[in-house]
Amino acid sequence: MWQTISKKLLTAIVVLIFSTIELFRGLGQREMSNLDWLLFILAVCLAFAVACIRRYATKTQDRMIRIEENFRHYRLTGRTLDSRISISQIIALRYAGDDEFPALCERAATDGMSPTTIRSAVMNWRLKERK
């Protein structure tokens, strides 16, 4: 789980922890200042904003992958992807070569293959050149 948390979210959580400590330290000494509250509120807002932005980016990336692979399936077969195929299955299918992609899509939809099973069924890996 920790591998998927971005550095920005981790930084926001650290700021939130330190601002909470500072807020409770002020409460314990009965020396509350508006700056302590402001720091705490800003840290909460920062952590919330970073988490929302990260979630939005991930959902957008999933939508783009679904659109790309749906178009690829349409280009190869003349039909759109089966609606029973989940996004995790599509992500696993995206590295299959064009020759086996339609058949694997059909098997994934009918058999309910897991992403790990799909990846192990891929014989000809399609490697995209990244520039």
Side-chain angles (χ1 to χ4, degrees), residues 62-79:
D62 288 348
R63 286 186 194 120
M64 291 300 298
I65 291 170
R66 182 180 290 277
I67 290 168
E68 288 172 359
E69 297 308 310
N70 201 7
F71 178 70
R72 179 179 173 210
H73 190 269
Y74 182 80
R75 184 176 46 85
L76 294 171
T77 65
R79 297 173 293 144

Side-chain angles (χ1 to χ4, degrees), residues 51-66:
C52 287
I53 290 168
R54 181 67 189 147
R55 184 171 180 229
Y56 175 76
T58 303
K59 283 186 168 275
T60 302
Q61 184 179 14
D62 288 348
R63 286 186 194 120
M64 291 300 298
I65 291 170
R66 182 180 290 277

Side-chain angles (χ1 to χ4, degrees), residues 98-116:
D98 285 348
D99 55 336
E100 61 184 344
F101 180 70
L104 275 175
C105 288
E106 186 64 32
R107 282 182 52 202
T110 57
D111 299 342
M113 296 171 70
S114 70
T116 307

Side-chain angles (χ1 to χ4, degrees), residues 20 28 33 42 44 48 55 59 69 78 87 93 114 131:
T20 305
S33 74
L42 288 176
V44 169
F48 181 74
R55 184 171 180 229
K59 283 186 168 275
E69 297 308 310
I87 188 63
L93 285 164
S114 70
K131 292 183 180 182

